[in-house]
Amino acid sequence: MCGITGWVSFDRDLTRQRAPLDAMTGTMACRGPDAGGGWLDRHAALGHRRLAVIDLEGGAQPMVVPTDDGPVAITYSGEVYNYTELRGELLRRGHRFETRSDTEVVLHGYLEWGEAVAERLNGMFAFAVWDSRTEKLVMIRDRMGVKPLYFSRTDDGVLFGSEPKAILAHPLADRAVDLDGMRALFSLTQTPGSALWCGMREVLPGGVVTVDRSGPRERRYWTLSTRPHTDDLKTTVATVRELLEDIVGRQLVSDVPRCTLLSGGLDSSAITALAAERLGRNGEFGEGGAAGAAGAKGVAGAADGKVRSFSVDFAGRADDFVADDLRGTLDAPYALDVAAHVGSPHESIVLDHAAIADPAVRRAVITARDSPFTFGDVDTSLYLLFQAVRRHSTVALSGESADELFGGYRWFHQPEVQSARTFPWMAVFVDGEQARRRERFNAELTAALDLPAYIRDSYADAVGEVERADGESDHEARMRVMSHLHLTRFVRTLLERKDRISMAVGLEVRVPYCDHRLVEYVHNAPWSMKTFDGREKSLLRAATADLLPESVLSRVKASYPTTLDPHYADALLRQAKELLTTDDPVFGLVDRGWLADVAGRDAVTMPVDVRNGVERVLDLSTWLDVHRPELRL
């Protein structure tokens, strides 16, 4: 996992433009703490920061292959899990390799197949190739958009980077945010291709962007499409298991220590159990151990065939826990059950309110995300969890995206949400959040944003992408739409958060449930199969039932934990009172009177939604200070 960036200019000679390239590359040092590099050609400058995971000695980037017609160079981020097979195919076609890295395989794949190499890759990746033979830049992103890639057009070319901050470090970049950016930010949905900053776009998931003298051109090599599902239930369950075993086996390949993120929920427990089963089958042992899946070199983080696991908890949570619709049970007992069941050395990272409320941690999260939109203490605790995990492991496997894929959220199963003609998560949360936002923001901004109209139009566009299957009932068709919305909209916010926060501490988080083969297969399974036992995530539970303790199999889904410690709310209120003594630019957007009223309340009795509102104001203030955007509102 790495950070990539670059600049293409057809009217300039970039061979002497090292300073702006270094500035862009330097913004992503956290994404690649192990090494950095730059490559300059007449019309292209490529930058790279490396987090070494495969072939630690080789794989330096940018990587260049000379040809008779000029060099072809790549700057690459991510992991390709089928690189061993592709390497073998390319060897048979006459290619020769100098490293064991997947980067070199991708570069030679481009030399062999051109842009069509994207269709042969299985993994999470974002990369850019400068082909001097045709003076063309090719940017390619993985199918689900796990790895980020942004670009911004200039008068004579393009700027690009893994994160907006890399682009914004260039003097040609526009640091402005307008109403469209703010609408996307506050609407709880992320439209593929959109970005917060003016003139900036993201390469679409499953997308290819080519840039030559005529400008950028975008196309998709993959979209989530409707396909017939002809397998019966027994075959479907068996296929899900077979896919998961292959996916987890491939994603365990690493030359550095790895682990799993184990909450005790079905999703992460299944990944941990599958990983433990695979490692035990391979007989791996410790650092430099026996070869792993798909031809891995010695792997670390697997002592005596066991996978290490980590979870997050809050100091005193067992004492102040109150069950609600989102979190009916504590995570800790279930995580320990799984760890004992599969023999995983497990560690719970316990956080206290002071660390979660620390303004320095908030600033680190806002800096990482390039955005004022966070999930409050969920994001800060995630940052602290990843920071602690990184002391032991460089790679972590996560259960992210299983709820979107298998139908795990409670609103999937609520008739009133199923029939709502809006994004399902908004049918649950948005009315109250919109009312609270109207209270927080000044009236002029609220009116200008007109979020209800924006959400309505965005929803219509999203639904228009879904093709109904032949012979599908109205209910099955609606559930297909709900699945598509989660896998192309809702999951984007979660994947972006996971990437930015994990890479801020140099931790590579892999997401097995985003393998496109599994996504395509499960998405097209009928809803009746996904709920055949009358519960959420029926297919996943059935496919992994033999690996898990009964406690986890019978557990109802619980969301990522949030702190209920009143000391946390009290810390937020103290920070809000301090903010009120200043002329912070946030008060050009937020109603000072609202914050003053909230800051005078009692932290112990403060509702969680009001506390969350204070978090949003503090986040917005921090973002304005960190990024200094020009607001065109």
Side-chain angles (χ1 to χ4, degrees):
M1 201 74 69
C2 307
I4 68 173
T5 191
W7 176 20
V8 169
S9 174
F10 293 104
D11 294 341
R12 295 176 174 86
D13 182 347
L14 299 185
T15 56
R16 297 176 180 268
Q17 295 294 326
R18 171 67 68 173
L21 178 65
D22 287 349
M24 297 169 75
T25 306
T27 64
M28 295 181 299
C30 58
R31 295 187 72 93
D34 296 326
W39 180 81
L40 301 170
D41 199 21
R42 182 174 181 182
H43 295 305
L46 305 183
H48 189 266
R49 291 295 313 190
R50 187 183 186 204
L51 176 66
V53 172
I54 299 291
D55 189 6
L56 307 188
E57 300 303 321
Q61 296 190 53
M63 189 174 288
V64 185
V65 172
T67 75
D68 293 340
D69 299 314
V72 179
I74 188 172
T75 182
Y76 164 87
S77 170
E79 304 292 343
V80 169
Y81 303 122
N82 64 334
Y83 78 97
T84 304
E85 297 96 316
L86 291 174
R87 191 175 193 270
E89 182 176 354
L90 289 165
L91 283 169
R92 291 189 293 273
R93 290 172 176 262
H95 292 260
R96 294 295 177 262
F97 295 90
E98 297 180 2
T99 73
R100 293 187 301 104
S101 70
D102 57 342
T103 302
E104 192 176 12
V105 172
V106 174
L107 179 53
H108 280 265
Y110 173 82
L111 292 172
E112 181 68 30
W113 299 299
E115 298 170 18
V117 66
E119 300 164 24
R120 296 172 178 264
L121 304 179
N122 175 291
M124 54 179 190
F125 49 83
F127 61 90
V129 174
W130 172 251
D131 192 338
S132 68
R133 301 171 302 179
T134 55
E135 292 194 333
K136 178 177 67 174
L137 180 75
V138 178
M139 295 180 284
I140 296 176
R141 192 177 181 200
D142 68 74
R143 294 167 181 84
M144 289 294 289
V146 179
K147 302 315 299 174
L149 185 55
Y150 296 84
F151 68 98
S152 182
R153 188 170 184 171
T154 64
D155 290 342
D156 67 335
V158 71
L159 305 168
F160 68 89
S162 294
E163 299 180 358
K165 63 173 62 69
I167 296 173
L168 296 173
H170 195 283
L172 292 178
D174 188 352
R175 299 188 64 87
V177 175
D178 61 12
L179 284 172
D180 283 338
M182 297 292 276
R183 290 185 184 107
L185 182 68
F186 292 120
S187 62
L188 297 180
T189 182
Q190 184 166 342
T191 302
S194 66
L196 169 64
W197 302 87
C198 289
M200 196 179 296
R201 286 182 55 77
E202 63 167 1
V203 177
L204 290 164
V208 178
V209 176
T210 57
V211 183
D212 56 22
R213 291 182 179 274
S214 63
R217 294 185 301 279
E218 300 182 57
R219 69 175 181 85
R220 305 287 288 274
Y221 68 89
W222 183 89
T223 56
L224 184 60
S225 59
T226 297
R227 301 178 182 180
H229 185 88
T230 58
D231 291 345
D232 61 17
L233 178 59
K234 181 179 180 180
T235 304
T236 299
V237 171
T239 301
V240 170
R241 173 62 172 266
E242 180 182 348
L243 283 169
L244 283 171
E245 288 181 345
D246 180 69
I247 292 164
V248 171
R250 290 179 182 277
Q251 297 197 20
L252 284 171
V253 174
S254 171
D255 290 343
V256 293
R258 75 266 151 112
C259 64
T260 65
L261 303 174
L262 174 61
S263 70
L266 178 62
D267 315 337
S268 62
S269 299
I271 296 300
T272 301
L274 287 162
E277 193 272 341
R278 171 58 68 97
L279 294 180
R281 186 196 315 164
N282 289 346
E284 295 187 7
F285 56 97
E287 190 166 352
K297 189 185 175 184
V299 292
D304 300 322
K306 298 177 181 179
V307 62
R308 191 167 189 170
S309 58
F310 294 89
S311 62
V312 67
D313 204 353
F314 302 103
R317 182 168 172 77
D319 298 326
D320 61 26
F321 177 75
V322 177
D324 58 26
D325 289 341
L326 293 178
R327 302 168 187 88
T329 52
L330 289 166
D331 284 344
Y334 299 92
L336 293 174
D337 279 355
V338 174
H341 188 78
V342 306
S344 169
H346 182 75
E347 182 176 347
S348 179
I349 307 300
V350 180
L351 308 174
D352 63 29
H353 77 275
I356 303 169
D358 187 347
V361 175
R362 178 183 303 111
R363 191 176 187 87
V365 171
I366 295 295
T367 300
R369 297 198 64 176
D370 293 324
S371 164
F373 178 78
T374 78
F375 292 93
D377 69 301
V378 171
D379 281 13
T380 51
S381 66
L382 197 64
Y383 176 87
L384 293 167
L385 168 65
F386 289 160
Q387 191 176 60
V389 170
R390 182 62 175 87
R391 299 188 186 106
H392 307 280
S393 299
T394 308
V395 171
L397 273 65
S398 165
E400 191 81 270
S401 306
D403 287 311
E404 291 78 13
L405 180 59
F406 289 97
Y409 294 116
R410 61 188 176 94
W411 54 74
F412 268 108
H413 309 271
Q414 296 173 321
E416 66 273 19
V417 177
Q418 293 173 354
S419 62
R421 291 306 181 254
T422 188
F423 294 105
W425 52 95
M426 292 186 179
V428 177
F429 297 118
V430 78
D431 287 343
E433 175 57 23
Q434 283 188 352
R436 290 187 290 274
R437 191 179 293 116
R438 283 194 296 270
E439 293 176 350
R440 292 197 301 271
F441 291 119
N442 64 51
E444 294 80 7
L445 178 59
T446 300
L449 288 172
D450 193 10
L451 288 179
Y454 176 82
I455 293 170
R456 186 169 56 250
D457 293 343
S458 297
Y459 173 75
D461 291 341
V463 171
E465 298 173 3
V466 188
E467 180 183 359
R468 184 166 181 162
D470 292 341
E472 199 168 46
S473 70
D474 289 345
H475 182 64
E476 286 285 354
R478 176 57 189 168
M479 298 315 295
R480 178 183 297 278
V481 168
M482 286 184 68
S483 171
H484 194 278
L485 293 174
H486 281 83
L487 291 169
T488 62
R489 298 304 193 277
F490 192 67
V491 79
R492 293 292 313 115
T493 299
L494 302 182
L495 290 175
E496 184 271 346
R497 175 185 66 167
K498 181 84 73 180
D499 174 85
R500 298 295 194 84
I501 297 178
S502 63
M503 293 307 295
V505 298
L507 178 70
E508 174 176 299
V509 176
R510 298 176 178 179
V511 279
Y513 292 115
C514 281
D515 186 291
H516 72 279
R517 299 168 299 162
L518 182 68
V519 170
E520 290 171 346
Y521 188 78
V522 175
H523 171 65
N524 282 292
W527 182 247
S528 58
M529 280 191 181
K530 295 177 185 176
T531 55
F532 75 86
D533 63 357
R535 299 193 57 191
E536 81 285 353
K537 294 184 280 197
S538 304
L539 290 177
L540 178 58
R541 183 177 293 101
T544 57
D546 62 310
L547 300 174
L548 299 173
E550 179 57 36
S551 60
V552 171
L553 291 172
S554 61
R555 186 188 185 193
V556 176
K557 176 187 167 49
S559 296
Y560 183 92
T562 183
T563 181
L564 298 176
D565 189 338
H567 294 97
Y568 173 72
D570 186 62
L572 294 181
L573 292 182
R574 289 198 305 271
Q575 294 169 30
K577 291 174 182 176
E578 183 177 347
L579 186 65
L580 285 164
T581 66
T582 71
D583 293 324
D584 193 288
V586 74
F587 294 117
L589 304 173
V590 171
D591 185 274
R592 184 187 287 268
W594 176 87
L595 188 62
D597 175 69
V598 170
R601 298 189 187 183
D602 178 30
V604 175
T605 60
M606 175 179 288
V608 173
D609 60 341
V610 176
R611 186 199 77 179
N612 293 346
V614 177
E615 288 176 329
R616 303 295 180 268
V617 174
L618 295 173
D619 289 345
L620 187 56
S621 170
T622 303
W623 175 70
L624 290 170
D625 183 55
V626 169
H627 291 288
R628 305 297 172 98
E630 176 192 346
L631 298 180
R632 297 175 185 165
L633 309 178

